[in-house]
Amino acid sequence: MLIALDLDGTVWDHPDISSLYPPFRRVTQLKIADSRNTEVNLRPHVRDFLRWANEAGHLLTTLSWNDYDVAYQALRAFEIDTYFHYLAIEPHPRKDKMLYKLLRRIEQERGVRIRPEEIVYIDDRDIHLTEILENIGKVRFIHFGRDVRCFLEIPRIISP
């Protein structure tokens, strides 16, 4: 299974990490701050979820409309970058195109064709869902903040 995670508002509480000014510094295990002291909080239990997904053999990717360098620096500052097999982070809103490109890459690199029903897409907003459903297929969508309020709930939902 491929698990695609949005970053802004989902993995962390900030609505637009690209608007911040790296470098980031670690404040606590769940908090970083940029060079202007704007703080960003990691959602509770994200690390537990990422660890579970890796141990369960799932592929993990980000699926984020952001400046790659800024988002990557935030992932590194939180020390969660190594949990992801792929980082789909591009400065445009077309998450369907990001996902399509990623699926082709996985097929080329791993020789595995992932079908839409084998994809779980987790985001705090559903604004990209129509394009994903139309252009990728019937992925499973988990609306963070509505379907689940905590990352600890997700394994129970997606595990058979």
Side-chain angles (χ1 to χ4, degrees):
M1 181 181 311
L2 175 67
I3 300 173
L5 280 170
D6 170 58
L7 297 175
D8 293 339
T10 303
V11 169
W12 47 63
D13 67 353
H14 198 278
D16 182 15
I17 202 80
S18 296
S19 68
L20 301 186
Y21 296 86
F24 294 101
R25 64 180 169 75
R26 191 84 169 262
V27 177
T28 69
Q29 178 134 3
L30 296 177
K31 187 180 295 194
I32 61 173
D34 75 350
S35 61
R36 295 183 176 182
N37 291 319
T38 301
E39 294 182 340
V40 180
N41 295 292
L42 190 66
R43 297 281 185 204
H45 306 293
V46 166
R47 280 189 192 84
D48 298 322
F49 171 73
L50 297 173
R51 192 174 307 112
W52 168 84
N54 273 286
E55 290 171 359
H58 301 300
L59 287 178
L60 279 170
T61 186
T62 59
L63 194 59
S64 182
W65 169 13
N66 268 304
D67 175 276
Y68 181 90
D69 291 329
V70 176
Y72 180 69
Q73 287 184 54
L75 289 166
R76 290 216 13 119
F78 279 123
E79 297 179 359
I80 60 172
D81 57 307
T82 58
Y83 288 103
F84 293 94
H85 300 93
Y86 298 96
L87 297 175
I89 303 169
E90 297 181 11
H92 61 79
R94 293 298 303 272
K95 290 188 178 186
D96 59 319
K97 290 184 176 187
M98 286 183 234
L99 188 53
Y100 179 82
K101 188 169 31 172
L102 176 65
L103 293 172
R104 298 296 71 80
R105 180 177 168 200
I106 291 170
E107 189 172 358
Q108 289 177 342
E109 291 179 2
R110 297 176 181 253
V112 175
R113 186 176 187 99
I114 297 174
R115 297 171 308 175
E117 57 272 12
E118 297 172 315
I119 300 169
V120 175
Y121 164 47
I122 304 167
D123 199 325
D124 66 310
R125 301 184 306 164
D126 61 5
I127 64 170
H128 308 286
L129 189 57
T130 299
E131 289 172 333
I132 289 173
L133 294 174
E134 288 174 356
N135 299 315
I136 301 297
K138 191 161 174 50
V139 304
R140 182 158 185 200
F141 176 63
I142 297 176
H143 198 152
F144 191 83
R146 289 191 186 163
D147 298 332
V148 296
R149 298 220 176 267
C150 175
F151 274 88
L152 292 178
E153 298 173 52
I154 298 172
R156 290 189 293 269
I157 293 175
I158 65 177
S159 291

